[in-house]
Amino acid sequence: MRDDGTLDDPYAPSRPTADTEDGTSTERTTTASRLRAYARDLTGRRRAQMALATGVVCCLGLTAVVQVRDENADAATRSGSLSSSELAQRAEQQRASRSLDRTAAPSASAAAQSAAASPADPDTSAPARKVAPARPTDPAPVAGLDEDQMENAEAIVRTGRKMGVPRRGLVIAVATAMQESNLYNVASGVLPESQDYPHQGVGWDHDSVGLFQQRSSSGWGPVERLMDPEFAARQFLSALEQVPGWQRMRLTDAAQAVQVSAYPEHYQQHEWRATRVVDAIVPAGR
């Protein structure tokens, strides 16, 4: 009998059942442990999946790198398959490009340094060239002469200067040729031989030829030589220098002493023109 007066149940268990508070606490603890274990297992699975995915990505990256390297190798192989002539051509182009770089124009600083080099150092890289003196130009015709007449006057003046004849003798010689042949190199119609040589007209005064109408039969020289203006001028000037006092004579008298013309006064009319011609060929003071 219990303290409260009730009878004990003979069929009641003698010990408390598992539905006690302690039993419930144990079951809860076990469940929590299982949950934690499951969570750990789930986390581990996720980590494994992530690791697997990372590995796959790495493998794909390595595959791409290998593929690029294979493509580069294929390109190198293709370039290696070029013919030897093409490779030589490319190498030559590269060398030419480098050569152009080396031979480029010098910089401003280099040019300045070169310009600042000592002028005392002679340049022996190339021999000095000798510059030929300028040849004097022929004067233009004056005093109403044409080019042929002016050239003949020049031949007279040039010959006289070589002989050292004074200026007065040059004027007398030019004036005499103006009267005798009008300053043309004239052959003779009477002497056909004279026409075999260069001439600028034909005259009929006996066998007289050339600028001064000199006669071979009178001892002035061979016809061939008398048709040469310089030889004819030399013959006249040489004879003039043999005339005593010719430099103090009137022009017409000096010319007549050499020529022995039938018209001795005709030479005087040409003095002013002859003077102009000589002055044009040999300026005063020369």
Side-chain angles (χ1 to χ4, degrees):
M1 180 180 288
R2 300 176 180 169
D3 293 337
D4 56 2
T6 63
L7 294 176
D8 295 333
D9 186 0
Y11 300 102
S14 58
R15 297 185 67 179
T17 63
D19 292 333
T20 63
E21 184 177 355
D22 293 338
T24 303
S25 176
T26 301
E27 184 177 357
R28 289 177 179 176
T29 300
T30 301
T31 302
S33 298
R34 290 178 179 177
L35 290 174
R36 285 194 297 273
Y38 177 76
R40 284 195 299 271
D41 183 61
L42 183 59
T43 302
R45 289 182 181 179
R46 289 181 177 176
R47 288 179 177 177
Q49 290 176 354
M50 291 179 65
L52 179 61
T54 303
V56 171
V57 171
C58 291
C59 290
L60 292 175
L62 290 175
T63 301
V65 171
V66 171
Q67 184 177 1
V68 170
R69 290 183 177 179
D70 291 342
E71 290 178 354
N72 293 337
D74 291 342
T77 302
R78 287 193 299 270
S79 64
S81 63
L82 294 175
S83 63
S84 58
S85 60
E86 293 177 345
L87 292 176
Q89 184 177 4
R90 289 188 178 182
E92 183 65 24
Q93 291 175 353
Q94 293 177 354
R95 285 195 297 272
S97 177
R98 290 193 296 270
S99 176
L100 288 175
D101 293 340
R102 287 194 296 269
T103 58
S107 61
S109 60
Q113 293 176 359
S114 176
S118 175
D121 296 336
D123 183 9
T124 58
S125 59
R129 294 183 178 180
K130 294 182 179 179
V131 180
R135 185 176 180 179
T137 57
D138 295 333
V142 295
L145 302 184
D146 59 25
E147 292 184 359
D148 290 336
Q149 291 172 306
M150 195 69 180
E151 287 179 3
N152 291 330
E154 287 184 64
I156 295 172
V157 173
R158 182 169 57 248
T159 301
R161 286 175 63 84
K162 289 179 181 178
M163 296 173 61
V165 176
R167 193 181 195 89
R168 175 65 174 172
L170 304 180
V171 174
I172 294 173
V174 172
T176 301
M178 286 180 174
Q179 173 60 33
E180 296 291 349
S181 64
N182 198 20
L183 269 177
Y184 288 117
N185 193 23
V186 179
S188 173
V190 178
L191 193 62
E193 178 188 355
S194 63
Q195 301 177 35
D196 295 336
Y197 307 103
H199 57 280
Q200 298 162 330
V202 177
W204 298 90
D205 185 10
H206 304 290
D207 58 347
S208 301
V209 296
L211 292 177
F212 296 90
Q213 290 292 282
Q214 295 157 331
R215 301 175 65 179
S216 178
S217 61
S218 299
W220 285 99
V223 175
E224 176 185 0
R225 301 298 304 277
L226 293 176
M227 292 298 297
D228 178 11
E230 291 191 5
F231 178 81
R234 182 177 295 275
Q235 292 295 86
F236 174 85
L237 292 170
S238 296
L240 177 64
E241 289 184 318
Q242 301 300 318
V243 176
W246 65 271
Q247 297 186 43
R248 295 184 299 273
M249 294 180 179
R250 291 189 308 155
L251 184 146
T252 191
D253 293 338
Q256 174 64 12
V258 176
Q259 296 297 104
V260 190
S261 171
Y263 308 98
E265 294 297 326
H266 287 184
Y267 299 107
Q268 190 64 40
Q269 62 183 327
H270 304 290
E271 183 171 4
W272 72 271
R273 296 177 65 218
T275 301
R276 286 194 58 190
V277 171
V278 172
D279 289 343
I281 299 172
V282 184
R286 292 180 58 183

